[in-house]
Amino acid sequence: MGRAQTVASGAERIDMVIVGAGFGGMYATWKFREMGLNIVSIEEGGDVGGVWYWNRYPGARCDLLSVDYSYGFSEEVQQEWTWSEQFAAQPEILAYANFVADRLTLRPHYRFNTRVDSAKWDDARQLWVVRTNDGKVLEATYCVMSTGPLSKPTDPDIPGLNRFKGLTLRAARWPHEEPDLKGKRIGVLGTGSSGMQIIQTLGRTECELFVFQRTPSFTLPMRNRKVTDRDVAELKANYASIRAACRLNPTGGARPVSTRPFFSIPADHRQELMEQAWQHGGHTFLGIFSDLMVNQAANDQVADFVRDRIHDTVIDKTLAEKLKPRGYPIFARRPCLDTGYYETYNRPNVHLVDCLEDPIVEITDKGIRTQSGEHELDVLILATGYDALTGALLAFEITGKDGLALKDKWEGGPRSLFGIMMAGFPNMFMTTGPNGPAALANIFTISENDVDFIAGLIAHMRAKGQGAVEPSRAVEDAWMDQIQVLASRSLMLKAKTWWTGSNVKGKPQGMSMFTGGFHKYREACEAAVANGYRDLSFAPAHQAEPVAG
Ligand code: NAP
């Protein structure tokens, strides 16, 4: 919307392009509009909601508390919106995104069903030339990439995927018209967070469900419940202090965090604490000991506790053994929260195909062939994950200063300062980028931090007459070194997971995210502001901006 000027080349000259209508992009759209910038926001989907617009699969639900998984920046929004459950389901989260878009009048800024094809920095003119798939060209002083850490789905690397003649559905691109799955023979490929939610939901319906499990995942009981009127009143009266506490918390959420190492607590009391947390549900379990991700012996004992719960729940003990995760530390892959996942396997219509014991050979026109034979299916559901953290950004051509392509800069893995800005890519910013806490902390708290940081920096540039900014290579290297040092102390590198890129063939491997906790990340961003941005390289504006609002 707004005051774009069409320049001689036919391009629209604006202040800022924002890519993405997930919660990061929506906040950026509000913030920079309020700053008076002339913005255009672009989104490939047909409406707002990001991952929640696409992921409509049966049982899709957020496993972060609704109070955390919501904006804190707008008092109107948080007072007027009421969550119905502690952990909200996809339709309610999408309704929230729509509510925010309406309440804050964000949609007029968006071009939906539009994809960015390329973004190229023009150093002489200090602007980004952004081309979209409808043939339009935008020229923008700033570019904000809110493309999300989990937005580019991946298909499994299995021969014959396109051969299947039944219905193929993807968790991450679920059709808007609900497919009829009643009475069907359904195969689910993938037992991460998406697959587990699908399995525990469809398993209870009238169908024959075949779960093709390669690596069993650890999951904790969610124990979701309705939010009471009393909860709502208490929440709404205390939002300010809750949000402030989230900003001090390593998870960026309202979660208890322990300072007690595992072995500092007597054995019987440890057991009691684990039992209590298990009964309480949610992520409480993650907050009982302080050293789970650095102490293998402590981690082993906690993993044993969870394996024992699987043993207790699954009636067929041979099946229980197959469902028990082994060979990697608990929480070194993102933990899931479930509602009766293991109980689902006690049903006669749910069948586990252990693909470690009986590997998948190919997909056929009738179903999936494993070494032991063909499993005939009517429907194949792919819940096989994402080219996470970097996939969405590398999906289009980004060219920075001196012709530097992003894919070349990131050849060995993503590099940036705070996951927000990159040496060689002036005036390009990311929110929840790959070198921040990204997927390890609350996406709302990170998005608000990142957008506020960018807004502060742009205000500074405008006040000082600066036309371009980027971090120096030295400061970017120092940040990346810090990430590596922190990761080397953690057990997180001991598992194969999208966290480290090992789920995508040929992708550089390693921990690119900041594992020091959201609170430390925020402090680092705040220190950069407090020192007057002295580690950033600025270039004076060549000319006055033509379309400033
Ligand atoms: P994921 O955790 O990466 O899981 C992908 C699954 O597909 C794994 O079980 C993987 O097995 C399997 N797979 C991939 N290729 C395969 C192949 N060729 N053969 C057999 N199995 C194959 O992906 P996701 O479940 O979509 O979750 C990704 C992230 O999204 C989550 O970690 C979470 O951060 C987020 N998410 C959150 C929620 C929520 O809030 N509740 C819900 C959904 C997703 P291997 O492990 O053996 O590779």
Side-chain angles (χ1 to χ4, degrees), residues 65 424 530 544:
L65 288 169

Side-chain angles (χ1 to χ4, degrees), residues 180-359:
D180 180 13
L181 302 179
K182 198 170 163 196
K184 301 278 171 28
R185 288 172 66 85
I186 305 169
V188 178
L189 197 54
T191 51
S193 302
S194 308
M196 281 191 163
Q197 291 186 331
I198 293 170
I199 293 159
Q200 70 189 9
T201 306
L202 286 184
R204 294 197 190 103
T205 65
E206 195 188 320
C207 70
E208 287 297 312
L209 192 69
F210 296 83
V211 177
F212 293 85
Q213 172 190 270
R214 190 164 62 182
T215 312
S217 302
F218 282 102
T219 170
L220 305 169
M222 178 178 271
R223 306 207 196 281
N224 196 12
R225 65 168 174 84
K226 292 275 175 215
V227 170
T228 63
D229 291 348
R230 202 171 147 188
D231 294 331
V232 173
E234 203 175 290
L235 187 66
K236 291 194 177 179
N238 292 298
Y239 260 131
S241 59
I242 293 169
R243 303 298 184 199
C246 289
R247 289 173 56 76
L248 298 173
N249 192 294
T251 70
R255 263 199 233 166
V257 177
S258 174
T259 50
R260 293 175 298 182
F262 186 86
F263 290 106
S264 71
I265 303 170
D268 53 346
H269 188 40
R270 290 198 299 256
Q271 189 69 15
E272 203 181 308
L273 289 173
M274 287 193 279
E275 295 281 0
Q276 278 169 4
W278 189 263
Q279 288 315 321
H280 185 272
H283 284 113
T284 332
F285 204 85
L286 275 165
I288 35 182
F289 308 111
S290 62
D291 55 346
L292 283 188
M293 294 320 295
V294 290
N295 184 335
Q296 183 68 60
N299 190 289
D300 287 344
Q301 293 208 20
V302 171
D304 279 342
F305 176 90
V306 175
R307 282 189 282 264
D308 288 347
R309 302 289 77 71
I310 301 172
H311 190 84
D312 295 345
T313 310
V314 180
I315 296 167
D316 175 340
K317 300 305 174 198
T318 311
L319 181 57
E321 283 310 303
K322 294 180 180 181
L323 288 165
K324 288 181 188 173
R326 294 187 193 282
Y328 64 91
I330 188 168
F331 310 136
R333 288 158 60 103
R334 189 186 181 282
C336 312
L337 293 188
D338 73 278
T339 303
Y341 177 72
Y342 295 112
E343 285 85 344
T344 312
Y345 289 92
N346 293 334
R347 296 176 58 93
N349 64 319
V350 179
H351 317 279
L352 184 79
V353 182
D354 180 352
C355 300
L356 293 177
E357 193 182 271
D358 184 15

Side-chain angles (χ1 to χ4, degrees), residues 57 61-63 150 156-158 189-194 197 214-215 333-334 383-386 498:
Y57 59 78
R61 181 180 291 282
C62 185
D63 60 14
L150 289 157
D157 184 19
I158 301 174
L189 197 54
T191 51
S193 302
S194 308
Q197 291 186 331
R214 190 164 62 182
T215 312
R333 288 158 60 103
R334 189 186 181 282
T384 44
Y386 296 84
W498 62 262

Side-chain angles (χ1 to χ4, degrees), residues 288-514:
I288 35 182
F289 308 111
S290 62
D291 55 346
L292 283 188
M293 294 320 295
V294 290
N295 184 335
Q296 183 68 60
N299 190 289
D300 287 344
Q301 293 208 20
V302 171
D304 279 342
F305 176 90
V306 175
R307 282 189 282 264
D308 288 347
R309 302 289 77 71
I310 301 172
H311 190 84
D312 295 345
T313 310
V314 180
I315 296 167
D316 175 340
K317 300 305 174 198
T318 311
L319 181 57
E321 283 310 303
K322 294 180 180 181
L323 288 165
K324 288 181 188 173
R326 294 187 193 282
Y328 64 91
I330 188 168
F331 310 136
R333 288 158 60 103
R334 189 186 181 282
C336 312
L337 293 188
D338 73 278
T339 303
Y341 177 72
Y342 295 112
E343 285 85 344
T344 312
Y345 289 92
N346 293 334
R347 296 176 58 93
N349 64 319
V350 179
H351 317 279
L352 184 79
V353 182
D354 180 352
C355 300
L356 293 177
E357 193 182 271
D358 184 15
I360 294 176
V361 177
E362 59 173 348
I363 294 177
T364 66
D365 57 346
K366 292 205 192 81
I368 294 186
R369 186 188 308 285
T370 60
Q371 261 175 15
S372 69
E374 190 173 31
H375 303 264
E376 289 194 13
L377 303 169
D378 303 312
V379 181
L380 174 58
I381 299 178
L382 303 177
T384 44
Y386 296 84
D387 182 356
L389 303 169
T390 55
L393 278 161
L394 293 173
F396 51 89
E397 227 176 278
I398 302 180
T399 314
K401 239 160 83 174
D402 305 322
L404 177 63
L406 185 62
K407 68 173 172 21
D408 293 333
K409 180 179 171 80
W410 285 3
E411 200 181 4
R415 298 186 74 73
S416 66
L417 174 64
F418 306 147
I420 296 181
M421 52 200 305
M422 294 173 283
F425 293 77
N427 294 8
M428 173 167 281
F429 305 104
M430 299 174 283
T431 64
T432 63
N435 312 121
L440 299 176
N442 181 355
I443 215 91
F444 278 84
T445 326
I446 308 173
S447 297
E448 291 187 358
N449 174 81
D450 293 359
V451 170
D452 291 351
F453 177 88
I454 300 162
L457 179 56
I458 290 176
H460 172 85
M461 290 170 72
R462 296 185 135 210
K464 303 279 180 194
Q466 303 290 9
V469 65
E470 61 182 302
S472 67
R473 301 238 175 230
V475 73
E476 184 176 281
D477 288 348
W479 179 251
M480 294 308 301
D481 289 348
Q482 208 178 321
I483 287 176
Q484 293 321 315
V485 169
L486 287 166
S488 69
R489 293 184 196 142
S490 160
L491 300 176
M492 281 184 188
L493 292 173
K494 289 194 168 181
K496 285 191 168 174
T497 153
W498 62 262
W499 277 354
T500 57
S502 60
N503 65 325
V504 177
K505 207 171 169 184
K507 192 167 172 166
Q509 314 246 324
M511 176 54 75
S512 67
M513 291 184 283
F514 178 79

Side-chain angles (χ1 to χ4, degrees), residues 95-170:
Y96 174 72
N98 280 291
F99 166 76
V100 174
D102 290 338
R103 184 67 179 80
L104 303 179
T105 326
L106 301 181
R107 274 200 192 80
H109 301 286
Y110 270 99
R111 296 182 186 173
F112 294 107
N113 301 305
T114 305
R115 215 183 49 236
V116 172
D117 280 344
S118 66
K120 192 168 182 193
W121 174 248
D122 181 336
D123 205 36
R125 296 161 69 214
Q126 292 180 317
L127 53 79
W128 284 94
V129 180
V130 178
R131 293 176 192 278
T132 51
N133 65 337
D134 52 5
K136 300 226 166 88
V137 181
L138 292 155
E139 293 183 347
T141 310
Y142 310 104
C143 204
V144 175
M145 297 296 183
S146 294
T147 45
L150 289 157
S151 44
K152 184 164 183 267
T154 48
D155 275 350
D157 184 19
I158 301 174
L161 187 60
N162 297 326
R163 218 182 294 153
F164 181 58
K165 292 220 162 62
L167 177 64
T168 303
L169 296 168
R170 287 170 175 78

